[in-house]
């Protein structure tokens, strides 16, 4: 079965960001800078590179900077124009022009599944992507593009998966599968944080999904699970029997910027991909040497 084109991406950004406190007390974790832009902008750029032009951001009442970042900044733009700071003006305007942005509020942090369900009205009856903004792939949209191709050709939901080592799987959503064709698996089970001995595979779910719209009915019927949260994995597990589900196995998870050391790694590695890379290498060497490494 083939499906409608995937045009919309949902970016859930209403979590509390507790792993990054106190930095995230007043600043949303999705606004923490990676190199020269907030992490959420990296993810929006990834979606746009994969061909998506409509972004629905799920925020919470305390996360106004997210709206502001993607909105016009008229006074700033006028000031930059008057000072003829053309490059900076372009950078500011580029953010707003990346896509069509819509915002929806999640009043209480009831989990990722609940956040996704908040976007039902904006998404409508079409397949859509979900990108977690604290996982940066920084791959120019390649993974998402491939996932969209699989979703559009099969009519099924697709989730990106990555191999884990040993007991690591117990920290994640795990996907069991019945068959594999290259990088694509036919998922037959999804289990949230299984005990190592119960895990049906070593493949864990990552923060990239392409979902068919029936997921909204499943989410409405999903009881709160672990920690009183509505788990997206539980609703997806209900979709498997009805419609089937694929997994795309990827080999690089990118960066978990909701976690302190990986946020730092993202800054170092991604800054090495910029025009300033030589200066950054020299700076890193000097810092290491002067600290006795
Ligand atoms: P995380 O669990 O990584 O984010 O959810 P968190 O809850 O903000 O962070 P910690 O664990 O307390 O440090 C992944 C993504 O899902 C969003 C988060 O904003 C994050 O981008 N999310 C999570 C929601 O939108 N709503 C929720 O209720 C929970």
């Amino acid at each position: 079965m083939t499906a409608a084109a995937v045009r919309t991406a949902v970016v859930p950004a209403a979590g509390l960001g507790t792993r990054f406190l106190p930095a995230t007390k007043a600043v949303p974790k999705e606004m923490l800078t990676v190199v020269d832009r907030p992490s959420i902008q990296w993810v929006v750029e990834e979606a746009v590179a994969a061909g998506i032009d409509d972004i629905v951001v799920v925020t919470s009442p305390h996360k106004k900077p997210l709206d502001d970042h993607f909105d016009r900044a008229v006074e700033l733009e006028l000031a930059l124009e008057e000072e003829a700071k053309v490059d900076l003006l372009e950078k500011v305007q580029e953010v707003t022009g990346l896509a069509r942005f819509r915002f929806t509020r999640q009043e209480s942090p009831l989990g990722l599944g609940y956040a996704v369900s908040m976007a039902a009205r904006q998404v409508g009856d079409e397949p859509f992507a979900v990108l977690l903004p604290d996982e940066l792939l920084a791959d120019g949209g390649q993974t998402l593009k491939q996932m969209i191709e699989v979703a559009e050709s099969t009519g099924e939901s697709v989730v990106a998966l990555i191999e884990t080592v040993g007991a690591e799987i117990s920290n994640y959503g795990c996907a069991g599968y019945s068959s594999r064709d290259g990088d694509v698996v036919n998922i037959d089970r999804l289990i949230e944080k299984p005990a190592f001995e119960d895990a049906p595979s070593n493949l864990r779910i990552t923060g990239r999904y392409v979902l068919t719209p029936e997921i909204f009915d499943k989410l409405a019927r999903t009881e709160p699970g672990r920690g009183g949260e509505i788990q997206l994995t539980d609703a997806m597990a209900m979709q498997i029997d009805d419609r089937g589900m694929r997994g795309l196995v990827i080999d690089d998870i990118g960066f978990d910027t909701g976690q302190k050391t990986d946020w730092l790694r993202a800054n170092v590695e991604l800054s090495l991909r910029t025009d300033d890379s030589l200066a950054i290498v020299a700076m890193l060497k000097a810092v290491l040497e002067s600290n006795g490494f």
Side-chain angles (χ1 to χ4, degrees):
M1 192 198 319
T2 54
V6 177
R7 300 181 302 178
T8 307
V10 175
V11 181
L16 296 176
T18 53
R19 284 170 297 160
F20 225 130
L21 283 168
T24 47
K25 186 174 169 220
V27 177
K29 98 171 156 182
E30 298 78 10
M31 287 301 294
L32 295 179
T33 309
V34 175
V35 186
D36 62 353
R37 64 201 72 184
S39 58
I40 192 168
Q41 187 177 332
W42 285 90
V43 168
V44 166
E45 286 173 353
E46 179 193 325
V48 170
I52 281 171
D53 56 12
D54 192 359
I55 307 283
V56 180
V57 184
V58 184
T59 68
S60 72
H62 307 293
K63 289 194 160 181
K64 187 142 184 319
L66 290 171
D67 304 44
D68 293 342
H69 185 68
F70 294 105
D71 203 354
R72 293 283 308 274
V74 179
E75 279 178 25
L76 175 62
E77 288 176 34
L78 281 175
L80 293 172
E81 213 172 296
E82 270 169 29
E83 292 169 33
K85 293 187 170 162
V86 182
D87 288 359
L88 294 178
L89 180 62
E90 271 173 20
K91 278 189 181 152
V92 169
Q93 290 176 335
E94 252 169 44
V95 180
T96 321
L98 278 170
R100 170 190 186 205
F101 291 96
R102 290 180 289 167
F103 296 85
T104 175
R105 304 258 173 249
Q106 178 187 333
E107 300 298 329
S108 12
L110 289 177
L112 178 59
Y114 186 67
V116 171
S117 74
M118 293 292 108
R121 202 165 50 84
Q122 285 84 356
V123 169
D125 195 24
E126 287 184 1
F128 63 103
V130 175
L131 293 90
L132 302 195
D134 50 0
E135 290 184 28
L136 303 195
L137 291 187
D139 68 347
Q142 283 312 309
T143 298
L144 189 60
K145 207 180 275 178
Q146 228 181 315
M147 293 173 69
I148 290 173
E149 279 164 15
V150 176
E152 289 180 352
S153 66
T154 61
E156 296 179 14
S157 291
V158 182
V159 56
L161 304 171
I162 193 152
E163 288 183 1
T164 55
V165 180
E168 249 175 42
I169 193 70
S170 303
N171 300 320
Y172 300 101
C174 172
Y177 58 94
S178 54
S179 61
R180 179 166 181 161
D181 179 8
D183 296 335
V184 179
V185 296
N186 249 316
I187 295 178
D188 64 0
R189 279 170 83 186
L190 288 177
I191 312 178
E192 190 60 36
K193 300 188 174 69
F196 176 50
E197 47 289 357
D198 298 333
S201 82
N202 67 342
L203 294 177
R204 76 157 170 99
I205 296 175
T206 73
R208 296 293 179 273
Y209 312 77
V210 177
L211 299 171
T212 56
E214 303 81 43
I215 193 73
F216 293 119
D217 292 335
K218 309 291 184 208
L219 282 167
R221 291 199 279 121
T222 303
E223 297 291 331
R226 261 170 202 275
E229 295 192 341
I230 301 200
Q231 302 286 349
L232 181 59
T233 315
D234 291 345
M236 287 169 64
M238 289 191 232
Q239 266 200 322
I240 297 173
D241 291 340
D242 287 7
R243 186 149 188 160
M245 183 169 295
R246 309 283 165 134
L248 177 73
V249 183
I250 59 175
D251 46 61
D252 185 4
I253 181 56
F255 310 95
D256 177 359
T257 55
Q259 200 249 353
K260 291 172 207 173
T261 48
D262 225 32
W263 170 80
L264 194 54
R265 185 173 69 89
N267 275 285
V268 174
E269 279 200 38
L270 294 175
S271 65
L272 292 175
R273 296 187 198 172
T274 67
D275 293 344
D276 297 328
S277 60
L278 291 179
I280 307 273
V281 170
M283 180 272 290
L284 289 171
K285 279 186 181 157
V287 169
L288 289 171
E289 268 171 35
S290 68
N291 283 279
F293 291 100

